[in-house]
Amino acid sequence: LIGNPIDLADSTDVTPVSFGELEKWMKARKGRCVQYDVETIPAKWWPDRKLRTMQFGTWQDQYVIQWSFLDEVQWQQVKGWLENPAWIKVIHNAMFESVICRFYKIRLQGIFDTMLAEQVIWGGEQGAVGYGLDDVCYRRMGFGLDKTYQTAFSEDVLTPPLVRYAAQDVKDLEMIRGLQLGE
């Protein structure tokens, strides 16, 4: 976690890290896939959805960034990563992330959308085939995801359960991509 959550004392699986650690990790991943997701404050209208966290990760490592915690230099660094096609951003439902990022003057480039790929693979079949991340995880890997906290993000509170939820959304995307591509 890069940020300032509450009640971290009782958490054994949420570890604060510096922005510099994320920078080193991203440099080591250049030219490879990086899983990416955002969490927003729920709202009916797109412009009212405020960015709460951004997540980068792999199966082994997940970095949750509390958006309000970044300074201007760090924000520009993150913007550079997201706009650089040298990092393939594996995203589930990239339309959502793309729209949210545009409100923050970020144009995502180098995207592989696992939701879109799944829809193409299944021929857009509706009804019996779900395309949400929990549906795709279940279909591809045999387990679903707990989406309890999906709409629990608020303006001021970031708790360990919310951090864990945000991290889980980037943990399996590269595996799903590999399965979709037959790797």
Side-chain angles (χ1 to χ4, degrees):
L1 169 72
I2 299 165
N4 188 23
I6 62 168
D7 297 331
L8 198 57
D10 295 333
S11 178
T12 58
D13 59 345
V14 176
T15 307
V17 296
S18 70
F19 189 81
E21 290 177 65
L22 174 60
E23 284 180 298
K24 281 190 244 178
W25 184 83
M26 285 295 289
K27 284 179 186 174
R29 304 264 335 144
K30 193 163 188 176
R32 297 164 55 198
C33 291
V34 200
Q35 292 144 194
Y36 177 68
D37 187 48
V38 300
E39 301 302 333
T40 61
I41 296 170
K44 182 177 180 180
W45 306 106
W46 283 93
D48 296 333
R49 290 178 175 259
K50 303 295 184 227
L51 188 57
R52 191 70 179 103
T53 65
M54 302 176 107
Q55 299 85 247
F56 292 93
T58 63
W59 181 80
Q60 295 172 316
D61 303 301
Q62 301 90 44
Y63 293 87
V64 177
I65 303 168
Q66 186 175 356
W67 179 251
S68 62
F69 191 77
L70 296 179
D71 63 30
E72 180 65 26
V73 172
Q74 293 166 335
W75 181 86
Q76 288 297 329
Q77 183 70 41
V78 171
K79 182 179 190 297
W81 295 332
L82 293 171
E83 292 182 343
N84 187 336
W87 284 282
I88 301 301
K89 276 66 78 184
V90 181
I91 303 170
H92 193 81
N93 191 11
M95 186 214 44
F96 182 83
E97 276 70 16
S98 294
V99 170
I100 295 301
C101 284
R102 291 296 291 148
F103 284 115
Y104 291 86
K105 299 182 176 23
I106 298 169
R107 184 179 297 272
L108 287 175
Q109 295 187 47
I111 296 170
F112 183 96
D113 187 340
T114 55
M115 183 175 177
L116 182 58
E118 198 72 6
Q119 290 170 335
V120 169
I121 290 166
W122 284 90
E125 182 178 325
Q126 296 295 318
V129 177
Y131 299 110
L133 183 55
D134 52 335
D135 296 317
V136 175
C137 281
Y138 188 77
R139 183 169 43 255
R140 294 281 176 181
M141 297 180 290
F143 62 86
L145 299 177
D146 180 1
K147 301 303 255 177
T148 304
Y149 292 101
Q150 186 170 25
T151 58
F153 287 81
S154 69
E155 195 73 45
D156 298 320
V157 179
L158 188 61
T159 62
L162 291 174
V163 173
R164 283 190 288 278
Y165 170 82
Q168 93 171 353
D169 273 2
V170 294
K171 186 176 180 182
D172 300 303
L173 295 177
E174 195 170 356
M175 177 69 76
I176 291 168
R177 176 183 179 265
L179 292 167
Q180 290 171 332
L181 295 174
E183 295 175 351

